[in-house]
Amino acid sequence: MNTKRYFEFDGLRGLLALWVALAHLFCWCGFGRIAGDGKAAKLWSMFTMADAAAETFIILSGFAIATLLQREQVSYGRYMLRRVFRIYPVYVICLGLAIWLVPVTGLIIDHETWSGDFYMGWQRDAQAHQQADWRGHVWSHLLLVHSVLPRQILEGASASLLMPAWSIGLEEQFYLVAPLLVLMLRTGWGRLVVLLLAVVGHLLESWWNNPVNGSLLFWLPYFLVGIGSSHLATWLGEKPERAVKLGGAIAYAALLAAVFLARNPLPFIIWAVVCPVAMGAWQCFAPRLGAVVSWLLKGRAAQWLGEVSYSLYLLHWPLIIMLLGAAHRWRPGMSRGETLGFMLAIGVPVILLLAWALHVVIEKPFMRMGRRLASGDASASDAPVASVVS
């Protein structure tokens, strides 16, 4: 059994959460796009849309849950109890804040000097969908089904109220079926069924876009990459010399697959670099590069961000709205540049500080409670079985 702790994944998760928070901050301040059609404009749009960050999170989740299921033999009920205590307390607090701030969101959208910006248009559409069926959007979020509802049932469900939470709804879908999915992948017929389900998910892609596609079937290949990486890590961990012999092949194969087989290769490239480093494979044939990546991800800043990443990922959204509302009230008519300067100088430290506070006051205690209830032992350790469990 592989019991290694992958600190690199902690750091990766933290940097991804920071990426998402900064991307949303720039978009809300009117800098979601820059002028021109050149490479700089495309790279900036890639950063501010943060699609690659969210997609890498999905791969990480597949790795984390597969690793957890390999390390612990627990009943399905206890497994789900831990998942609920892991994600729901922080989620419901951030959702409540987002609901409370809906009037402020409307004020920002309609009265900032860049209200005609494309991103403000997206948020204006989200506000309209919320108003059309307010109870439906609130209940779908509380039940964590908003990511999978098609527009025929609830228009705009995956992007309303607390927009980053579309991926939390997707995670919940994965949690529900992960034990069965891992079991199916052990047999040839099971693997065939999973492959067919992934094909169906892509064939029905447009049906699930509401406006974000939060269907587990569509994102199944990403989870499978994480699950497969977990099994590879276990295999390498059984005989460490395997990483030395096969390190180059693993890294090159992963990079080639990312570049030539993926529609959006960036999340797979990120994973193809970080995963072999964490497993000890990349360092074996490119030690300098591996050492640099490992040093960056295992540094204090990245590890701290990894610790608070879940709180940061959800809390930054209502805090951005709250801070923008305060800035608008303090000085109406601020330009985009002035607002961005305020948000970077004041907003970012406040967001990081309050994310840490939420992690300490709510997230950690409920994680401990979930582990103890699931184990049936009031003295159960609060040490995570896998550092990447999201």
Side-chain angles (χ1 to χ4, degrees):
M1 181 184 297
N2 179 22
T3 59
K4 177 181 177 181
R5 175 163 178 152
Y6 300 95
F7 289 98
E8 289 86 354
F9 291 150
D10 285 324
L12 175 62
R13 190 176 67 245
L15 294 177
L16 292 173
L18 182 63
W19 177 356
V20 173
L22 289 175
H24 287 154
L25 186 150
F26 277 101
C27 286
W28 273 106
C29 291
F31 289 89
R33 293 175 181 169
I34 58 177
D37 298 321
K39 291 183 178 179
K42 293 179 180 179
L43 288 174
W44 183 253
S45 294
M46 187 182 298
F47 167 72
T48 55
M49 293 301 98
D51 292 337
E55 292 166 12
T56 308
F57 269 128
I58 296 171
I59 300 173
L60 261 173
S61 181
F63 183 96
I65 298 303
T67 302
L68 176 69
L69 293 172
Q70 288 182 77
R71 292 181 178 182
E72 291 192 352
Q73 300 297 322
V74 297
S75 67
Y76 182 77
R78 291 184 175 185
Y79 154 78
M80 282 304 302
L81 182 65
R82 285 184 59 174
R83 293 295 90 207
V84 169
F85 275 83
R86 177 67 182 91
I87 67 170
Y88 206 76
V90 168
Y91 169 73
V92 75
I93 288 174
C94 295
L95 176 62
L97 282 173
I99 293 173
W100 176 56
L101 290 166
V102 164
V104 180
T105 307
L107 177 69
I108 294 169
I109 292 171
D110 293 333
H111 293 90
E112 295 292 3
T113 56
W114 58 94
S115 61
D117 179 78
F118 80 100
Y119 195 78
M120 291 300 189
W122 287 355
Q123 299 308 319
R124 193 173 288 112
D125 289 342
Q127 288 270 303
H129 296 321
Q130 290 166 192
Q131 293 173 4
D133 189 351
W134 175 253
R135 290 184 178 180
H137 283 278
V138 171
W139 276 108
S140 68
H141 277 73
L142 287 172
L143 297 174
L144 279 174
V145 298
H146 58 284
S147 296
V148 76
L149 294 179
R151 62 173 59 92
Q152 293 86 346
I153 296 177
L154 187 63
E155 182 76 21
S158 58
S160 62
L161 298 176
L162 185 63
M163 188 174 181
W166 74 268
S167 64
I168 308 303
L170 172 61
E171 291 269 330
E172 184 65 15
Q173 296 171 55
F174 175 61
Y175 293 158
L176 288 169
V177 303
L180 176 61
L181 185 62
V182 171
L183 187 64
M184 291 174 64
L185 290 172
R186 295 176 182 175
T187 67
W189 281 105
R191 287 190 286 269
L192 179 60
V193 170
V194 171
L195 177 62
L196 291 176
L197 289 174
V199 171
V200 170
H202 277 264
L203 291 176
L204 297 177
E205 176 183 359
S206 61
W207 197 68
W208 296 105
N209 291 336
N210 190 25
V212 182
N213 190 326
S215 164
L216 173 62
L217 294 182
F218 176 77
W219 293 106
L220 190 54
Y222 291 74
F223 286 111
L224 293 178
V225 170
I227 294 171
S229 300
S230 175
H231 288 288
L232 176 62
T234 300
W235 184 74
L236 292 176
E238 292 172 353
K239 294 183 178 180
E241 63 272 15
R242 289 171 173 169
V244 177
K245 295 179 180 179
L246 302 176
I250 292 170
Y252 279 126
L255 285 172
L256 289 173
V259 172
F260 292 106
L261 299 180
R263 181 176 59 179
N264 178 17
L266 184 55
F268 295 100
I269 292 174
I270 294 171
W271 188 252
V273 172
V274 175
C275 188
V277 169
M279 294 179 185
W282 190 282
Q283 297 99 317
C284 300
F285 81 102
R288 291 186 179 180
L289 178 60
V292 170
V293 174
S294 182
W295 171 81
L296 174 65
L297 296 177
K298 294 171 73 173
R300 289 186 178 181
Q303 290 294 301
W304 183 84
L305 285 169
E307 187 177 1
V308 304
S309 58
Y310 181 58
S311 294
L312 174 61
Y313 181 77
L314 287 181
L315 187 61
H316 78 271
W317 184 267
L319 288 184
I320 287 174
I321 295 170
M322 186 182 296
L323 289 163
L324 284 175
H328 177 82
R329 184 173 182 180
W330 167 55
R331 189 179 172 187
M334 287 176 65
S335 68
R336 291 192 309 162
E338 291 172 329
T339 304
L340 179 62
F342 166 78
M343 292 297 292
L344 290 175
I346 305 297
V348 171
V350 169
I351 290 171
L352 292 174
L353 177 62
L354 292 181
W356 169 81
L358 183 62
H359 170 72
V360 171
V361 175
I362 300 296
E363 185 178 355
K364 288 181 68 175
F366 275 95
M367 287 172 62
R368 287 195 294 266
M369 185 183 301
R371 278 191 287 268
R372 290 171 181 171
L373 290 174
S375 66
D377 182 3
S379 62
S381 170
D382 63 351
V385 298
S387 65
V388 296
V389 173
S390 57

